[in-house]
Amino acid sequence: MHVATEMFPLVKVGGLGDVMGALPGAQRALGADVRILMPGFPALLRGIPNLKVVGGVPNLLGRGEARFLLGKTEGGVPIYLLDCPVLFDRPGGPYDEWGDSHLKFAALAWGAAQLALHGDAAGWRPEVVQCHDWQTGLIPAYLAQEPQPRPRTVMTIHNLAYQGVYPAALLPELWLSPSVFHPEGMEFYGQINFLKAGLAFADRITTVSPTYSREIQSPGSGAGLDGLLTRRRRELTGILNGVDTRVWNPASDPHLEFHYDARHLAVKKVNKNLLQRAVGLDEDAGDPLFVVVSRLAEQKGLDLVLENVAYLIQLSAQLLVLGTGDPVLEAGFRAAAEAHPGRVATVIGYDEGMAHRILAGGDVILVPSRQEPCGLTQLYGLRYGAVPLVRRAGGLADTVVDANAHSLMDSTATGFVFNEPSSWILGETIGRACRLYREEPRAWTQVQRHGMQQNFSWAASARDYLDLYGHMLE
Ligand code: ADP
């Protein structure tokens, strides 16, 4: 049973939504009885048909009765909703702050632990509970407090930067016993740390790429948890995310008017032209169009892109940014678009269809992240022939092969990779991409084609997770 707070297409903020929209179905296709548990968010209560009551708890963490509803996702995966309107049936996104997020996600975890221990009305009970990110981190702690036999647990880190840290005084309100509050448990410098609870008490830990699983064991990237992660390194695995090829396929994407594949890249130029027109960029076919689709957060390194706007203009390139988040970055990209009409365009907001059209029309997708657990947009870039230009971090390092003399010669290059998170090095790499694009069009096409042929499907990751569960249950 996966427990999570996002699932594409009904609830999505970032990559976690994409993972939950694809992984459970891929695991079921391999024959495992995989199910999902999520909070009863309004979009799920509305979007999942034929929900049936299959159990409940008389008192969910002091907030009264809650019910378990069971339905099926669009892809046919059984999904439980923890229905507790006072906590979950609220307008807005899953992480909007109402002043009680600690309670909201502790309640999710406590409810999940009850379902895991006692099963639903039909007697279904998971053998393994996989917890996704800090919002579900208390599940292994609640289960550790229980004397009876319990299911195995996996804590999956999609992003170590978000941990859920709250004052220790909340312990009794969250029904946490002092027995789990110690430095080897969930205590974090005198406070409660939800993610740490999961990392300390889960039987296994996974994260979403092999490189990130190593990076987070170092003080520079461990966000204060590297000691614990290093101690548990034998139980820590990195399993790369995949691409949902039903959703991300330029040959059938419903968001595109004109479809293409690696053999019909001329059609990509039509998509580029339509995109330029839609966002008010000059309709130049020959100038490379650099694109960004991202949360605007410090971790994504987009300040480095802002610092390169003048250089992109100097190179006669174009820049298109779709994103939302940090107000300073939003203002920065807006100002860049105003200063360079026709050359820089900024779309502030979250727009799934636009994201697809940007990948179809863009020549280069920029992902200069300081930290990147896996990253999905570079994988979408590969599939759509929008050549990824990425920093060598986390999953970006595991999925993109830099176009250097060697890899261009033996045709293994799929993008551009740089090391130092500095605007100067990013600029140099942008320059490299522009040169290949303009001066060696055949090599460029080869890089695009080779990227489009990469196979990052979910089947392999789904198999790896099932193998991991198998080892745990042995
Ligand atoms: P993260 O989970 O850190 O945000 P990922 O690269 O793993 O980063 O996943 C981001 C997902 O969110 C991708 O599916 C990407 O297309 C999508 N996304 C991010 N920002 C936007 C936006 N402004 N509009 C539409 N989709 C977006």
Side-chain angles (χ1 to χ4, degrees):
M1 179 168 81
H2 291 283
V3 187
T5 47
E6 297 180 36
M7 184 188 67
F8 178 85
L10 296 175
V11 184
K12 171 172 161 180
V13 176
L16 174 60
D18 289 353
V19 173
M20 292 311 299
L23 172 63
Q27 291 177 314
R28 286 186 73 84
L30 295 172
D33 185 0
V34 170
R35 303 186 181 194
I36 302 171
L37 168 67
M38 289 186 68
F41 290 138
L44 297 171
L45 292 169
R46 270 199 315 272
I48 295 175
N50 306 320
L51 286 165
K52 299 211 167 45
V53 181
V54 292
V57 290
N59 187 6
L60 185 69
L61 224 59
R63 288 304 179 277
E65 194 189 344
R67 304 178 307 166
F68 293 111
L69 310 178
L70 179 61
K72 278 197 172 158
T73 67
E74 219 176 47
V77 179
I79 178 167
Y80 295 96
L81 300 184
L82 177 58
D83 184 31
C84 178
V86 300
L87 288 175
F88 304 129
D89 194 358
R90 299 168 174 174
Y95 313 129
D96 285 4
E97 191 50 73
W98 292 65
D100 63 354
S101 290
H102 59 290
L103 195 71
K104 192 162 89 173
F105 296 123
L108 169 65
W110 194 83
Q114 301 314 303
L115 184 60
L117 288 169
H118 308 296
D120 69 9
W124 189 85
R125 211 159 39 149
E127 292 174 289
V128 175
V129 180
Q130 185 165 354
C131 314
H132 296 270
D133 272 351
W134 76 266
Q135 293 85 357
T136 61
L138 292 188
I139 298 172
Y142 285 127
L143 289 171
Q145 289 181 181
E146 297 286 335
Q148 63 253 65
R150 57 171 185 84
R152 309 278 95 192
T153 49
V154 182
M155 184 73 228
T156 298
I157 306 166
H158 296 266
N159 199 332
L160 194 64
Y162 304 97
Q163 300 182 357
V165 178
Y166 296 102
L170 294 171
L171 277 175
E173 191 189 341
L174 303 183
W175 295 3
L176 289 162
S177 123
S179 71
V180 291
F181 190 70
H182 51 81
E184 255 70 73
M186 66 168 65
E187 184 194 335
F188 188 67
Y189 301 103
Q191 297 197 285
I192 302 173
N193 182 321
F194 278 46
L195 181 64
K196 189 178 178 205
L199 299 177
F201 293 109
D203 297 302
R204 295 295 178 98
I205 301 169
T206 68
T207 186
V208 287
S209 70
T211 296
Y212 193 62
S213 77
R214 290 188 295 275
E215 286 173 350
I216 57 179
Q217 294 178 44
S218 69
S221 305
L225 296 174
D226 42 288
L228 170 59
L229 290 163
T230 305
R231 242 187 351 269
R232 298 210 61 191
R233 64 184 173 278
R234 276 180 205 86
E235 289 109 24
L236 165 64
T237 331
I239 299 177
L240 203 61
N241 286 337
V243 174
D244 190 336
T245 50
R246 294 163 310 175
V247 179
W248 294 95
N249 182 357
S252 60
D253 190 329
H255 297 291
L256 307 185
E257 216 174 310
F258 297 96
H259 295 125
Y260 62 96
D261 58 25
R263 282 170 300 131
H264 301 92
L265 280 168
V267 182
K268 187 171 166 64
K269 295 204 171 74
V270 182
N271 283 291
K272 176 174 174 178
N273 189 254
L274 288 177
L275 179 65
Q276 286 168 322
R277 190 174 306 166
V279 298
L281 289 171
D282 297 341
E283 292 174 41
D284 283 330
D287 290 339
L289 171 56
F290 288 76
V291 299
V292 171
V293 177
S294 183
R295 289 186 297 119
L296 303 181
E298 204 269 339
Q299 145 197 18
K300 299 288 182 184
L302 296 169
D303 48 318
L304 307 178
V305 174
L306 262 183
E307 286 166 17
N308 271 288
V309 166
Y311 186 50
L312 282 160
I313 300 297
Q314 196 185 323
L315 290 168
S316 259
Q318 295 183 332
L319 175 66
L320 167 57
V321 177
L322 168 65
T324 167
D326 180 356
V328 176
L329 288 169
E330 287 188 359
F333 283 113
R334 275 207 181 98
E338 275 162 31
H340 305 284
R343 308 310 297 174
V344 178
T346 299
V347 181
I348 298 296
Y350 186 94
D351 186 333
E352 192 72 30
M354 173 71 89
H356 286 244
R357 289 187 292 277
I358 288 180
L359 283 153
D363 294 307
V364 180
I365 181 154
L366 294 168
V367 195
S369 309
R370 293 193 169 80
Q371 307 270 333
E372 195 56 82
C374 176
L376 289 171
T377 53
Q378 87 280 12
L379 300 181
Y380 304 153
L382 288 171
R383 272 193 80 74
Y384 280 64
V387 175
L389 189 164
V390 306
R391 191 172 99 73
R392 197 183 307 282
L396 300 170
D398 293 333
T399 52
V400 181
V401 177
D402 184 50
N404 54 33
H406 199 76
S407 64
L408 283 171
M409 188 83 83
D410 65 11
S411 301
T412 52
T414 58
F416 300 89
V417 186
F418 66 99
N419 288 326
E420 281 304 305
S422 80
S423 60
W424 192 82
I425 302 289
L426 171 60
E428 188 188 61
T429 315
I430 288 173
R432 244 181 342 119
C434 281
R435 270 196 304 282
L436 193 73
Y437 180 88
R438 287 187 199 283
E439 294 166 20
E440 298 183 59
R442 287 179 57 177
W444 183 268
T445 307
Q446 173 57 38
V447 172
Q448 276 182 307
R449 288 218 169 100
H450 190 57
M452 294 177 85
Q453 283 153 3
Q454 300 298 301
N455 179 8
F456 289 108
S457 82
W458 271 106
S461 320
R463 162 65 50 213
D464 288 348
Y465 281 112
L466 294 184
D467 286 349
L468 177 80
Y469 306 159
H471 291 309
M472 295 170 69
L473 294 170
E474 257 165 26

